[in-house]
Amino acid sequence: MALFVADHVVKFATCVVAEYAKLAQDAAFGSKYAKAGENAAAFEQRIRQELNSPATQSKWAGDLARVGFG
């Protein structure tokens, strides 16, 4: 797991992925990224998987910062 920070990759541990998967519980984030008909459990699982992508981490950097990353 990694996060782009100023063009450097920061590795995320599995427990950190779980912590930042709480984005799925954030109403503002969910309104932008949840899929129509996707239940909360499926959305959180998808967020956990997508946090493995450095491109997605970069895209969500502001949201990650808002929930406590860095």
Side-chain angles (χ1 to χ4, degrees):
M1 167 87 354
L3 178 69
F4 269 99
V5 177
D7 296 325
H8 299 287
V9 177
V10 177
K11 294 290 183 185
F12 273 178
T14 302
C15 62
V16 175
V17 171
E19 177 69 17
Y20 292 108
K22 71 183 178 184
L23 281 172
Q25 300 169 8
D26 182 78
F29 183 83
S31 69
K32 287 194 289 188
Y33 298 109
K35 296 179 181 179
E38 186 173 42
N39 69 35
F43 183 44
E44 183 171 341
Q45 181 60 34
R46 184 168 58 82
I47 297 309
R48 287 174 188 256
Q49 291 173 346
E50 291 186 22
L51 281 169
N52 287 308
S53 165
T56 300
Q57 292 167 14
S58 181
K59 177 180 172 182
W60 294 348
D63 295 297
L64 287 165
R66 190 168 37 79
V67 298
F69 182 81

